[in-house]
Amino acid sequence: MKKATENQQDVNDYINKMWGDPIIVLEQVFFPYLDLMKGSTIVCEIGVGTGRWSREIIKRMNFDNETKLILVDHSSWVIDFLKNYFREEQRIFPLLNNGNNLPISTDGSVDLIFSDGTFIELKLGQILSLIKEIHRALKPGGIFTFDFIDIDTEEAWRHLHTYCDQFGHCFTYHSADTMIRLFSEVGFSLKNRVQIPKSKSVYLVFEKK
Ligand SMILES: C[S@@+](CC[C@H](N)C(=O)[O-])C[C@H]1O[C@@H](n2cnc3c(N)ncnc32)[C@H](O)[C@@H]1O
């Protein structure tokens, strides 16, 4: 943030230069489902950071008055940042959660939920709590796309060895079987699995039954 400000650059342009353009990933794992939506659409993003995914998602959403992008994060600093960053955008609603819940009061109201770079840090208990909330918030047939680090991939092992000293306290590594079991026990079916080349991330796409 400080470096972006010093360079008078938008913080998300700055981060994208380091981490890559979110559109390349969104085109593979999220936009195909978003593009199928017709009329008013409600999308939620969990673990938003500075909003570099949100700003691409909102551009792709239709302009119906009822269309909403709900941004959920457990950091009040992030929520305040997002309220200011997206102050001109009437369809974006940043909301604080407690880490385990979704602050969405109407069950079955959300069409699609997206998360990037957040489940890669979560333990299984927290993941299960969020899956139950995602299931509650989504419409039947609704879609949830997220990334995790699949310990059965070479990319995950490379990541573990590279970052254990510096970030060992931060990242979590799970198997795809564990993820699929958690989601299916709550009421989801797996629709797609995408490994991004040279990336630690595997994206899973689940549909609420
Ligand atoms: C590594 S950052 C990724 C931010 C953004 N998705 C990106 O890729 O630039 C993780 C974000 O998730 C948020 N976060 C972590 N755990 C969370 C949870 N259980 N519920 C909501 N937000 C969470 C953090 O506050 C942070 O904004």
Side-chain angles (χ1 to χ4, degrees):
M1 177 72 74
K2 201 169 155 228
K3 283 196 181 151
T5 314
E6 278 165 14
N7 292 334
Q8 294 187 316
Q9 218 179 357
D10 178 281
V11 66
N12 289 315
D13 291 340
Y14 183 83
I15 298 173
N16 288 350
K17 278 207 181 115
M18 289 186 300
W19 292 355
D21 187 345
I23 295 178
I24 295 166
V25 173
L26 286 166
E27 289 287 3
Q28 295 178 69
V29 302
F30 191 66
F31 285 164
Y33 308 99
L34 182 60
D35 290 349
L36 291 177
M37 295 290 139
K38 297 196 174 67
S40 320
T41 305
I42 300 185
V43 175
C44 171
E45 184 185 346
I46 303 171
V48 185
T50 51
R52 67 194 189 100
W53 300 84
S54 341
R55 69 175 184 164
E56 305 306 339
I57 292 170
I58 196 71
K59 278 187 218 153
R60 191 80 163 219
M61 290 173 72
N62 66 50
F63 289 88
D64 184 306
N65 279 345
E66 301 299 316
T67 288
K68 280 186 196 167
L69 176 55
I70 300 168
L71 305 181
V72 175
D73 203 285
H74 70 171
S75 155
S76 51
W77 185 91
V78 166
I79 295 300
D80 288 345
F81 172 88
L82 293 168
K83 282 182 182 165
N84 183 49
Y85 188 76
F86 290 118
R87 61 191 176 280
E88 308 289 338
E89 180 49 79
Q90 305 298 315
R91 298 168 300 158
I92 288 187
F93 300 85
L95 299 176
L96 186 68
N97 77 341
N98 65 12
N100 292 320
N101 74 331
L102 286 184
I104 295 172
S105 54
T106 310
D107 296 356
S109 58
V110 178
D111 295 283
L112 302 158
I113 302 181
F114 177 79
S115 184
D116 184 281
T118 300
F119 283 67
I120 61 172
E121 298 177 353
L122 302 184
K123 294 178 183 165
L124 287 183
Q126 210 172 8
I127 292 177
L128 181 56
S129 297
L130 281 171
I131 295 173
K132 288 181 190 168
E133 280 290 275
I134 290 162
H135 189 268
R136 180 185 66 75
L138 279 175
K139 294 177 181 170
I143 294 290
F144 176 52
T145 298
F146 75 107
D147 69 323
F148 77 111
I149 311 179
D150 183 339
I151 194 60
D152 295 323
T153 63
E154 284 310 310
E155 288 82 353
W157 281 93
R158 204 170 308 125
H159 187 271
L160 181 61
H161 282 290
T162 308
Y163 294 106
C164 61
D165 294 337
Q166 200 181 355
F167 296 118
H169 62 284
C170 170
F171 293 106
T172 56
Y173 302 81
H174 302 295
S175 75
D177 285 349
T178 304
M179 287 296 176
I180 292 166
R181 177 168 176 174
L182 282 180
F183 277 88
S184 61
E185 285 184 356
V186 176
F188 286 92
S189 55
L190 181 67
K191 260 185 105 71
N192 201 5
R193 177 192 185 283
V194 179
Q195 166 88 61
I196 304 297
K198 295 185 187 161
S199 161
K200 64 185 182 305
S201 286
V202 167
Y203 289 81
L204 296 180
V205 181
F206 284 97
E207 181 173 9
K208 175 175 169 176
K209 288 183 194 159

